[in-house]
Amino acid sequence: MKAVIQRVAQSSVTIEGEVVASIQKGLLILVGIEEADTKEDIEWLSSKIVNLRIFADENSIMNLSVKEVNGDAIIVSQFTLHASTKKGNRPSYIKATKPDIAIPLYEQFIQQFEKDLEKRVQTGQFGADMKVSLINDGPVTILIDTKNKE
């Protein structure tokens, strides 16, 4: 699994003109799923994100997690995170898994994240044409790949 984590002052997801998700302080999490992803990837990634110390403490040091600041989250599926740009100018998405495998893994990730965060999260809609807006706070943007746990 790949994830782009953005610390946001606010974020929202709009589908066909309707706002389906909206948060203030928290995280916008874009998740890309590949066929090789497992329950272990889901658990590791969820725990890693929930516990990332990327929010400021009383001394303005990034030392607190989204859970510690009672932040919210929006999770959005994004197959383009698995784009391969090695050949030519048209990205290949061959590593992104098909919906019949990706949807259950995406839903499991949401459930695991809610369990780890101990609160409900908002989401986009898998496969929909979404308009995602955000005010990146910092800016803070972090990339995580469960296949590269360095």
Side-chain angles (χ1 to χ4, degrees), residues 13-76:
V13 177
T14 303
I15 301 172
E16 296 181 3
E18 179 184 344
V19 176
V20 298
S22 180
I23 64 169
Q24 296 300 310
K25 180 178 185 175
L27 299 175
L28 171 63
I29 304 162
L30 307 175
V31 178
I33 299 167
E34 64 179 284
E35 207 163 314
D37 290 330
T38 65
K39 181 179 182 190
E40 290 75 29
D41 290 302
I42 290 168
E43 290 172 352
W44 182 87
L45 183 60
S46 176
S47 177
K48 179 62 83 172
I49 296 170
V50 165
N51 293 296
L52 276 176
R53 295 175 8 188
I54 59 173
F55 289 87
D57 64 15
E58 65 278 357
N59 298 313
S60 298
I61 307 284
M62 285 197 289
N63 202 27
L64 300 173
S65 69
V66 66
K67 190 172 184 176
E68 292 171 311
V69 300
N70 196 30
D72 292 312
I74 296 178
I75 300 174
V76 175

Side-chain angles (χ1 to χ4, degrees), residues 109-126:
F109 178 75
I110 293 165
Q111 291 170 355
Q112 183 66 51
F113 196 85
E114 288 179 334
K115 178 182 171 189
D116 292 342
L117 188 60
E118 299 177 349
K119 69 188 312 187
R120 303 273 305 161
V121 300
Q122 297 186 50
T123 66
Q125 180 182 333
F126 192 96

